Amino acid sequence: MGEEKPKTGGVWPAVKPFVNGGASGMLATCVIQPIDMVKVRIQLGQGSAGEVTKNMLKNEGLGAFYKGLSAGLLRQATYTTARLGSFKILTNKAIEANDGKPLPLYQKAICGLTAGAIGACVGNPADLALIRMQADATLPVAQRRNYTNAFQALYRIVADEGVLALWKGAGPTVVRAMALNMGMLASYDQSVEFCKDSLGLGEVATVLGASSVSGFFAAACSLPFDYVKTQIQKMQPDATGKYPYTGSLDCAMKTLKAGGPLKLYSGFPVYCVRIAPHVMMTWIFLNQIQKMEKSMGL
């Protein structure tokens, strides 16, 4: 991502990294949504990947795998647009400051951390709506919110809980995004350089190899934070109005006490399978979008 230098002047060069990032993320989400749904159900204690898939097909039908797709697309249109666009801008600025030389890994990691924080702040409302819509069917009938789409979910959250509720769980969301983007973006750029310069691989092999590496590191770095974030965002008060967790740290400590460190890695195989293909398809779609734009002179 850091190799291409943007054109100067005009509005399009400034917004292009954001448009491309959001579009590639949304296309990838359309393919990954069923796996993401299974991942969330595993984290909510619904069983293994096989059990969750079987029960969803039996009790809710095929459409259940795409529940929350509107929120997922809205999330990509905000979160991924902001993080990939910000990372592109940050790395280009850093390369300019480095006299055009490739960035060392630690600078790429810093750019990834920063871009992740920016994207998470922008995308938290859509992420909250997505988690609630995916978790709704696991709640008792009386507690289900029955959101019809992402925009209705956002409207009801504001109406019932206030505007600030849209950023419920923002703390763990930001931390999780910083960890994920540090692993995903920095390792991807570093792997691309290694595959091209050291191994002499072609474009397709480079994208597949680098995105596989970045997908693994993104999953390994971010899953504990993703688990905590999911628990915080889907929690509801009991009969006395008390929430099960007072915050992300309290959730993490109670989880460690109840199940040990590995509890934070619940659903890691499915999470890794979900993250890696999404990363790969995002880069592939992004590459194709950039080629199309280049052929059109954009």
Side-chain angles (χ1 to χ4, degrees):
M1 291 183 64
E3 295 180 354
E4 180 186 344
K5 294 183 179 180
K7 298 177 182 179
T8 58
V11 175
W12 174 241
V15 301
K16 181 178 177 180
F18 298 91
V19 173
N20 291 351
S24 59
M26 292 173 74
L27 289 169
T29 292
C30 290
V31 181
I32 294 301
Q33 180 69 14
I35 300 176
D36 192 42
M37 171 64 82
V38 173
K39 183 266 297 184
V40 171
R41 293 291 182 88
I42 292 173
Q43 290 183 329
L44 296 177
Q46 299 297 300
S48 66
E51 292 170 339
V52 168
T53 301
K54 180 180 178 181
N55 290 335
M56 286 178 66
L57 285 172
K58 180 180 179 181
N59 301 325
E60 304 172 59
L62 187 62
F65 291 94
Y66 285 92
K67 188 172 291 183
L69 178 60
S70 61
L73 293 175
L74 180 60
R75 179 178 183 270
Q76 294 300 318
T78 52
Y79 167 64
T80 299
T81 295
R83 70 184 177 121
L84 291 186
S86 297
F87 184 74
K88 181 73 170 180
I89 298 298
L90 290 169
T91 52
N92 281 332
K93 292 294 184 183
I95 288 173
E96 287 179 12
N98 201 32
D99 296 325
K101 299 176 183 177
L103 299 178
L105 181 59
Y106 81 91
Q107 288 187 8
K108 294 174 184 174
I110 293 173
C111 290
L113 286 168
T114 306
I118 293 171
C121 290
V122 173
N124 196 79
D127 192 51
L128 175 63
L130 174 62
I131 292 295
R132 287 193 176 185
M133 291 177 73
Q134 289 180 324
D136 207 43
T138 68
L139 299 173
V141 176
Q143 296 182 16
R144 292 180 186 177
R145 299 179 174 98
N146 297 314
Y147 299 138
T148 56
N149 57 62
F151 295 103
Q152 196 242 6
L154 295 174
Y155 173 80
R156 283 181 51 188
I157 290 171
V158 172
D160 298 341
E161 306 169 50
V163 175
L164 292 181
L166 293 174
W167 280 270
K168 183 177 291 184
T173 298
V174 170
V175 174
R176 179 254 188 194
M178 292 174 70
L180 185 148
N181 282 277
M182 180 184 69
M184 171 185 169
L185 300 177
S187 65
Y188 178 78
D189 264 19
Q190 195 72 21
S191 297
V192 166
E193 291 178 9
F194 177 76
C195 289
K196 283 184 176 180
D197 300 337
S198 300
L199 301 181
L201 299 180
E203 180 182 316
V204 174
T206 294
V207 171
L208 290 176
S211 59
S212 298
V213 171
S214 67
F216 174 81
F217 279 104
C221 291
S222 66
L223 181 54
F225 303 103
D226 184 78
Y227 180 89
V228 171
K229 175 184 72 70
T230 300
Q231 300 303 313
I232 292 292
Q233 289 184 326
K234 68 96 178 181
M235 68 179 180
Q236 286 194 330
D238 58 20
T240 64
K242 183 179 180 181
Y243 284 94
Y245 308 114
T246 58
S248 56
L249 181 60
D250 181 56
C251 177
M253 296 306 295
K254 287 181 177 178
T255 301
L256 287 171
K257 184 177 180 181
L262 291 181
K263 182 66 175 177
L264 294 171
Y265 279 90
S266 297
F268 180 74
V270 174
Y271 184 72
C272 194
V273 167
R274 182 261 177 194
I275 289 293
H278 193 282
V279 168
M280 294 171 69
M281 284 184 287
T282 297
W283 297 138
I284 291 171
F285 282 129
L286 182 58
N287 185 57
Q288 293 303 310
I289 290 171
Q290 290 173 337
K291 282 185 176 180
M292 182 182 67
E293 289 173 344
K294 186 176 181 179
S295 68
M296 298 171 63
L298 296 176

